[in-house]
C-alpha cells in the first residue's frame, strides 16, 4: 500500500545539542550493542512477531533494517510504501530493540534502471553492467544521486522522531562491487575533479608527466578515465583515477548524510566499511562519519584467519581515531561467496566476536538476523539459521548475547598500544601500478607479514596515517610506502629525530604524490633518515629466495644498497648481491631507523621485530604462549582496565594475571593470580594493575 511521506504519530524526542564527536559514544544503546541486519520484507508479517520475541531471547539490542528495501519502500517513482516499516519499527521498539535504519539506496530497483539506463555502471572496456543483482549504479550518475537523496529524505522525514531510531545506516559497503565506473558521466566528473586539483592545464600536464609518449593535453575535454588502452595507461592518470573514484563514492555518502543531518541532526550517521578494501581510502571517509562501522568476514580456509581478523579490527580502530566502533556485519558460521564455505567450529563465533570487542568494537552485529529462504545468499548463515533454534548456531548466538551483557562495562574503554603500523591508501594504489620492477611487490601481504609478526608476540598495534602525530608510539612500522608526500616524509623523519624508532620496508620513499621519482638516489624521501643510498633494484625471480647472514631468507626483492650513515645488521650471503647489505640500522637524531631491503621470511621477521621491540621497551600485556591473543582496553579514568585473553590454540593455557574474570570459566580461582583458559575459550579480566604481577 502506498503512503505519502508523513511521519507516524510518535512522541517527539527532546533534541540533544551535543557536538557530533560525542555521537560516537553511543547515546542510545547501553553497553555493547548486539544484533544484525534484519530484512523483514523477505518474510511474511506473521514471522515478524516471532523474530522480535527471539531477538529478545538472544539479547539483541540493535538491528539494521531495510538495507536492500528500496523496491519495497518506493515501488514506483515518487510513491512510498512505509506501512510495513511503520509496523516493524513499532514492533522492535515495543521489544526494546533500537533500529539502525538503512537509507536503502545500495540497490536501485528495476524501475529505476529502466527509467535511467544511463545510471548503470560501465566497465573499463566500455561494457554496461545490467541490473538484476545489486549495486548497479554509477557513482557519478546525477539521477542516482538525486533519487538516493530523495529516498533518504523521505525516510528521515518519516522516522526521524521514531523512538526506535538510534542510527542511520547510509547505503551499504560502498564500492564493494562497483568501485569505479568508466562512463561518460564519470569522465566529466573526473575532469571536474582534476580541474579542482590542478587549477590549470600547465600544472596538470606537469603532474601527469604528459611529455612522455605524446600525451600532452591542450583541452580539459581531451582528458579521459584510464579506459582500456593499447599499452600501459599513464600511471598518474591511473593514480588520480583511484583518488577520484574513492572521492566520488564519498560524495554519494555525503549527499545522503547531509540530507539526513538536515532533518535529524542528533542521530549519528554511519556507513559500513569493508576493512582493507583497496578502492576506498577509508581514512578520508572516516572523518566524515559520526560512527565508524565495519563488515568483516573470515576467510574460512585461511589457517591464520584470526590474525587477519585482528589486523582488520585494529585498522578500523585506527580509522575511528581510537574511539569505539561498530562491527556491523560478520557471520555466525559459513558465508555463501567463498569457493568453499566452511562452517564455524563450536566456540568460533564467540571467539571471533570477542576478538573484535577486544580491539575496540562496542557493537557486535551479524549479517543477518534470519537466514534467507531465497536469493543468492540463502546458504549464508544467520543468527537464526534454517535449522531453527535447535541448533549450535542459535545456542551460541544466545550465549554470546549473555556474554556481551556481562561485558557491558567495557563499552567506551580504549585499546592500549605502543606500536603503530603506517597504512596509506594512495601508497597502496601507487605501489601496485603496472610497469614496476616486480609484479610480486604487493601491498597487503607486506602489511600482513609485519602485523602477523607483532601479533604472534602478543603486541597490539594501532594503524595510523603517515602524516599523523606519532609521538606517543615507541615503535612505528612502515611495511611499504612507495609513494609519500612531503608532509608525511617530514613527519616520519621528525618522529625518529625526536627519539622514535622506525622499521621501514623496501621500495619506500621512491615517488612523490604525482608518482614522479624523487631524484638523487633511492630511497628518495628517506635517504637521510635511513642513512643509505640504493644504486639499483635487483628484484628476484618468482619463488627465488636468497640467504641472509643471520640465517634468514629473503624473497621478492633485493637492491644494491650503500650505507652512508647506517650500519649493516644482515648481509646477503648468496643471490645476485652476494656480500651486499640486506638490513641496516641508522641512529638518527635521538631515534633509530631500521631498513629491510628484502621480504623477510616469517621466522626471521618475528626475530628481528621481537629484538627491536625488546630494545625499545615494547611488550605484550602479559606473558602467554604462541597463539594466545591478549589485548588490553582501559577506561577513560585510566584506573580500570580489561584484559582479553583469547586462546586460539588446542591446548589449555595457565596464565599469570592480576585481576578477576568478568567473563570466562567460573572454575578459576582468582586468589592465586592465575587464570586457566581452555582451548578455543576466552577470558576477560577486570584488572587490578595496582596489585603486583606474580610471574
Ligand atoms: C556483505 C554485505 C551483506 C551481505 C554479506 C554476505 O558484504 O554487506 O549485504 O551480502 O556481505 O556475506
Amino acid at each position: 500500500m502506498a503512503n505519502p511521506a508523513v511521519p507516524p504519530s510518535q512522541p517527539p524526542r527532546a533534541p540533544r545539542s551535543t557536538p557530533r564527536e560525542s555521537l560516537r559514544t553511543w547515546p542510545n544503546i547501553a553497553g555493547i550493542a548486539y544484533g544484525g541486519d534484519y530484512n523483514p520484507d523477505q518474510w511474511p508479517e506473521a514471522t515478524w512477531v516471532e523474530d522480535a520475541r527471539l531477538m529478545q531471547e538472544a539479547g539483541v539490542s540493535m538491528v539494521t533494517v531495510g538495507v536492500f528495501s528500496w523496491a519495497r519502500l518506493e515501488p514506483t517513482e515518487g510513491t512510498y510504501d512505509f506501512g510495513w516499516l511503520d509496523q516493524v519499527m513499532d514492533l522492535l521498539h515495543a521489544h526494546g530493540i533500537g533500529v539502525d535504519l538503512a537509507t536503502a539506496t545500495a540497490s536501485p530497483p528495476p524501475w529505476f534502471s529502466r527509467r535511467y539506463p544511463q545510471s548503470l555502471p560501465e566497465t573499463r572496456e566500455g561494457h554496461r553492467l545490467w541490473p538484476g543483482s545489486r549495486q548497479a549504479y554509477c557513482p557519478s550518475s546525477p539521477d542516482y544521486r538525486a533519487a538516493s537523496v530523495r529516498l533518504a529524505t523521505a525516510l528521515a522525514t518519516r522516522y526521524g522522531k521514531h523512538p526506535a531510531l538510534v542510527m542511520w545506516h547510509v547505503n551499504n559497503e560502498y564500492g564493494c562491487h562497483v568501485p569505479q565506473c568508466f562512463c561518460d558521466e564519470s569522465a566529466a566528473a573526473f575532469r571536474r575533479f582534476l580541474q579542482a586539483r590542478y587549477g590549470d592545464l600547465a600544472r596538470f600536464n606537469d603532474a601527469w608527466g604528459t611529455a612522455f609518449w605524446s600525451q600532452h593535453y591542450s583541452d580539459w575535454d581531451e582528458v579521459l578515465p584510464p579506459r582500456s588502452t593499447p599499452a600501459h595507461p599513464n600511471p598518474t592518470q591511473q593514480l588520480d583515477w583511484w583518488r577520484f573514484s574513492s572521492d566520488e563514492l564519498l560524495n554519494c555518502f555525503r549527499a545522503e548524510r547531509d540530507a539526513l543531518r538536515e532533518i535529524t541532526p542528533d542521530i549519528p550517521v554511519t556507513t559500513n566499511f569493508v576493512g582493507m578494501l583497496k578502492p576506498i581510502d577509508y581514512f578520508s571517509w572516516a572523518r566524515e562519519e559520526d560512527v565508524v562501522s565495519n563488515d568483516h568476514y573470515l576467510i574460512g580456509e585461511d589457517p591464520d584467519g584470526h590474525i587477519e581478523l585482528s589486523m582488520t579490527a585494529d585498522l578500523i580502530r585506527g580509522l575511528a581515531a581510537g574511539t569505539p566502533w561498530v562491527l556491523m556485519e560478520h557471520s555466525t558460521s559459513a558465508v555463501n561467496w567463498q569457493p568453499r564455505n566452511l562452517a564455524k567450529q563450536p566456540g568460533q563465533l564467540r571467539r571471533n566476536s570477542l576478538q573484535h570487542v577486544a580491539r575496540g568494537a562496542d557493537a557486535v552485529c551479524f549479517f543477518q538476523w534470519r537466514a534467507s529462504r531465497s536469493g543468492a545468499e540463502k546458504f549464508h548463515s544467520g543468527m537464526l539459521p534454517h535449522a531453527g533454534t535447535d541448533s549450535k548456531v542459535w545456542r551460541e548466538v544466545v550465549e554470546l548475547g549473555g556474554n556481551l551483557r556481562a561485558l557491558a562495562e567495557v563499552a567506551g574503554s580504549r585499546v592500549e598500544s605502543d606500536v603503530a603500523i603506517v597504512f596509506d591508501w594512495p601508497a597502496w594504489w601507487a605501489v601496485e601500478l603496472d610497469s614496476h620492477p616486480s609484479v610480486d611487490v604487493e601491498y597487503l601481504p607486506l602489511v600482513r607479514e609485519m602485523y602477523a609478526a607483532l601479533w604472534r608476540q602478543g603486541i597490539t598495534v594501532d594503524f595510523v596515517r603517515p602524516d599523523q602525530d606519532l609521538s606517543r608510539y615507541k615503535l612505528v612500522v612502515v611495511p611499504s610506502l612507495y609513494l609519500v608526500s612531503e608532509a608525511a616524509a617530514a613527519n616520519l623523519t621528525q618522529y625518529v629525530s625526536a627519539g622514535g624508532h622506525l622499521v621501514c620496508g623496501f621500495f619506500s620513499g621512491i615517488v612523490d604524490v604525482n608518482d614522479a621519482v624523487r631524484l638523487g638516489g633511492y630511497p628518495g624521501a628517506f635517504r637521510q633518515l635511513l642513512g643509505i643510498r640504493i644504486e639499483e633494484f635487483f628484484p628476484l625471480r618468482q619463488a627465488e629466495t636468497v640467504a641472509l647472514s643471520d640465517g634468514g631468507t629473503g624473497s621478492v626483492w633485493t637492491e644494491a644498497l650503500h650505507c652512508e650513515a647506517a650500519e649493516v645488521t644482515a648481509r646477503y650471503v648468496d643471490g645476485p648481491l652476494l656480500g651486499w647489505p640486506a638490513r641496516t640500522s641508522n641512529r638518527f637524531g635521538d631515534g633509530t631507523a631500521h631498513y629491510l631491503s628484502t621480504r623477510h621470511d616469517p621466522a626471521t621477521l618475528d626475530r628481528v621485530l621481537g629484538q627491536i621491540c625488546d630494545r625499545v621497551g615494547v611488550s605484550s600485556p602479559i606473558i602467554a604462549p604462541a597463539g594466545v591473543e591478549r589485548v588490553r582496553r582501559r577506561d577513560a579514568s585510566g584506573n580500570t582496565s580489561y584484559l582479553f585473553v583469547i586462546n586460539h590454540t588446542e591446548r589449555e593455557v595457565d596464565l599469570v594475571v592480576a585481576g578477576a574474570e568478568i567473563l570466562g570459566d567460573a572454575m578459576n580461582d582468582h586468589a592465586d593470580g592465575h587464570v586457566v583458559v581452555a582451548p578455543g575459550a576466552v577470558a576477560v579480566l577486570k584488572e587490578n594493575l595496582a596489585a603486583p604481577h606474580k610471574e
Side-chain angles (χ1 to χ4, degrees):
M1 202 214 323
N3 290 338
V6 290
S9 51
Q10 297 293 345
R13 290 192 318 167
R16 287 184 304 104
S17 56
T18 36
R20 303 212 68 81
E21 177 67 15
S22 71
L23 294 179
R24 289 175 185 263
T25 58
W26 286 96
N28 295 316
I29 302 274
I32 296 179
Y34 185 43
D37 276 23
Y38 181 36
N39 296 305
D41 41 333
Q42 292 179 13
W43 297 95
E45 228 178 283
T47 318
W48 303 348
V49 177
E50 187 194 30
D51 284 333
R53 182 179 59 75
L54 289 173
M55 282 179 194
Q56 263 189 338
E57 191 178 317
V60 165
S61 56
M62 179 179 81
V63 287
T64 296
V65 177
V67 174
F68 296 103
S69 301
W70 189 343
R72 183 79 189 265
L73 289 168
E74 191 182 2
T76 59
E77 188 163 17
T79 48
Y80 297 103
D81 176 2
F82 289 130
W84 66 276
L85 188 52
D86 291 352
Q87 278 188 56
V88 169
M89 296 285 286
D90 291 349
L91 181 71
L92 291 168
H93 181 58
H95 286 76
I97 296 161
V99 174
D100 166 38
L101 188 58
T103 58
T105 54
S107 196
W111 64 255
F112 180 83
S113 316
R114 181 161 174 239
R115 173 95 196 261
Y116 304 104
Q118 67 282 19
S119 71
L120 290 166
E122 207 172 291
T123 64
R124 180 186 301 276
E125 291 74 28
H127 171 70
R128 281 255 180 221
L129 298 176
W130 292 92
S133 65
R134 65 176 175 183
Q135 214 174 79
Y137 61 87
C138 157
S140 301
S141 158
D143 298 318
Y144 171 75
R145 201 70 72 84
S148 57
V149 168
R150 245 185 347 256
L151 182 56
T153 306
L155 284 160
T157 309
R158 179 112 185 155
Y159 299 106
K161 293 196 165 59
H162 197 288
L165 180 68
V166 293
M167 186 157 66
W168 290 114
H169 181 296
V170 175
N171 202 280
N172 189 65
E173 293 191 347
Y174 276 107
C176 73
H177 302 299
V178 182
Q180 303 179 339
C181 169
F182 293 78
C183 75
D184 288 343
E185 207 76 76
S186 303
F190 185 40
R191 281 178 213 119
R192 290 193 292 275
F193 168 89
L194 295 169
Q195 283 172 16
R197 185 173 172 84
Y198 296 108
D200 60 57
L201 276 169
R203 279 190 61 212
F204 163 70
N205 274 297
D206 186 47
W208 277 27
T210 56
F212 182 79
W213 278 0
S214 181
Q215 289 172 357
H216 183 90
Y217 293 93
S218 41
D219 190 316
W220 286 108
D221 285 344
E222 294 161 6
V223 181
L224 293 168
R227 291 173 174 155
S228 236
T229 45
H232 300 301
N234 180 313
T236 319
Q237 175 192 22
Q238 297 186 61
L239 180 59
D240 274 346
W241 179 249
W242 285 100
R243 291 184 172 119
F244 157 77
S245 299
S246 174
D247 276 14
E248 195 63 349
L249 279 168
L250 179 55
N251 287 333
C252 291
F253 168 75
R254 284 195 189 114
E256 288 194 38
R257 178 206 60 193
D258 291 351
L260 297 170
R261 279 188 180 167
E262 185 75 30
I263 302 167
T264 58
D266 58 344
I267 300 292
V269 181
T270 192
T271 184
N272 46 344
F273 291 168
V274 199
M276 296 184 169
L277 183 68
K278 182 175 175 184
I280 314 280
D281 179 355
Y282 285 139
F283 272 120
S284 66
W285 280 61
R287 50 181 170 236
E288 306 265 352
E289 293 188 293
D290 297 320
V291 173
V292 170
S293 4
N294 190 52
D295 300 347
H296 181 268
Y297 289 96
L298 207 68
I299 302 300
E301 291 186 80
D302 178 359
D304 282 339
H306 55 290
I307 302 182
E308 190 274 335
L309 184 161
S310 300
M311 178 177 74
T312 306
D314 287 345
L315 172 74
I316 302 303
R317 188 179 67 257
L319 299 175
T323 62
W325 52 277
V326 174
L327 175 62
M328 189 62 87
E329 295 180 20
H330 72 313
S331 67
T332 57
S333 190
V335 300
N336 65 298
W337 45 264
Q338 294 172 14
R340 285 159 294 279
N341 295 297
L342 305 194
K344 289 195 178 174
Q345 291 296 312
Q348 199 179 357
L349 179 164
R350 176 178 191 249
R351 217 161 48 243
N352 293 164
S353 298
L354 295 178
Q355 278 188 274
H356 288 286
V357 177
R359 292 172 188 278
D362 273 5
V364 173
C365 302
F366 292 95
F367 177 83
Q368 60 178 326
W369 163 251
R370 186 184 275 274
S372 295
R373 187 169 177 220
S374 309
E377 293 177 332
K378 57 182 169 298
F379 295 118
H380 193 294
S381 57
M383 297 172 82
L384 185 57
H386 292 153
T389 53
D390 186 9
S391 58
K392 169 203 80 166
V393 166
W394 176 255
R395 282 186 284 277
E396 293 197 10
V397 161
V398 174
E399 185 198 13
L400 179 62
N403 290 172
L404 295 176
R405 272 196 303 281
L407 293 179
E409 63 179 276
V410 172
S413 60
R414 305 291 178 93
V415 174
E416 280 193 345
S417 160
D418 290 331
V419 180
I421 287 189
V422 168
F423 196 89
D424 188 53
W425 266 269
W428 182 359
W429 299 332
V431 78
E432 292 183 356
L433 288 172
D434 44 41
S435 45
H436 274 197
S438 170
V439 293
D440 295 330
V441 180
E442 291 174 297
Y443 189 73
L444 278 192
L446 298 172
V447 175
R448 240 180 239 156
E449 283 165 10
M450 297 265 189
Y451 180 88
L454 293 162
W455 190 97
R456 284 190 285 268
Q457 292 166 65
I459 290 165
T460 309
V461 165
D462 284 349
F463 278 83
V464 295
R465 296 190 324 268
D467 58 353
Q468 80 181 61
D469 178 19
L470 302 168
S471 53
R472 70 183 204 76
Y473 295 106
K474 292 183 180 163
L475 177 66
V476 171
V477 177
V478 179
S480 166
L481 203 60
Y482 160 76
L483 174 150
V484 64
S485 68
E486 305 300 332
N491 186 50
L492 291 163
T493 306
Q494 152 64 22
Y495 163 72
V496 178
S497 147
H501 302 281
L502 185 101
V503 174
C504 183
F506 60 87
F507 204 36
S508 293
I510 306 298
V511 297
D512 66 12
V513 292
N514 296 324
D515 195 42
V517 169
R518 292 174 178 280
L519 300 177
Y522 314 129
F526 301 134
R527 196 174 145 187
Q528 265 209 306
L529 170 64
L530 296 167
I532 56 172
R533 182 174 68 85
I534 292 148
E535 187 185 318
E536 191 177 359
F537 304 133
F538 282 75
L540 299 176
R541 293 182 176 82
Q542 192 177 13
E544 182 181 358
T545 56
V546 287
L548 308 182
S549 55
D550 63 357
T553 54
S555 61
V556 174
W557 193 266
T558 58
E559 50 198 11
L561 182 157
H562 301 274
C563 282
E564 293 188 319
E567 61 186 60
V568 180
T569 50
R571 289 186 184 277
Y572 294 107
V573 291
D574 65 9
L577 293 172
L578 175 74
W580 285 72
R583 205 169 56 241
T584 60
S585 170
N586 189 38
R587 298 270 329 149
F588 183 83
D590 294 334
T592 323
H594 306 269
Y595 182 66
L596 278 54
S597 78
T598 184
R599 185 171 171 182
H600 285 46
D601 69 274
T604 308
L605 206 52
D606 283 0
R607 181 167 39 76
V608 169
L609 289 181
Q611 285 166 354
I612 294 173
C613 284
D614 286 349
R615 226 171 295 146
V616 304
V618 167
S619 59
S620 173
I622 55 162
I623 294 167
V628 178
E629 184 174 348
R630 54 265 196 211
V631 182
R632 181 174 285 139
R633 287 182 66 159
R634 195 184 286 268
D635 79 353
S637 72
N639 296 328
T640 308
S641 63
Y642 304 93
L643 180 70
F644 285 70
V645 181
I646 304 170
N647 186 359
H648 297 281
T649 76
E650 288 169 5
R651 282 184 314 277
E652 180 179 281
V653 292
D654 184 346
L655 306 171
V656 177
V657 291
E661 265 179 314
I662 53 172
L663 185 74
D665 182 352
M667 301 303 289
N668 274 310
D669 167 13
H670 301 115
D672 68 352
H674 280 252
V675 67
V676 176
V677 189
V682 181
V684 182
L685 293 113
K686 186 170 182 171
E687 291 178 307
N688 172 8
L689 293 178
H693 279 250
K694 282 194 258 164
E695 299 282 325

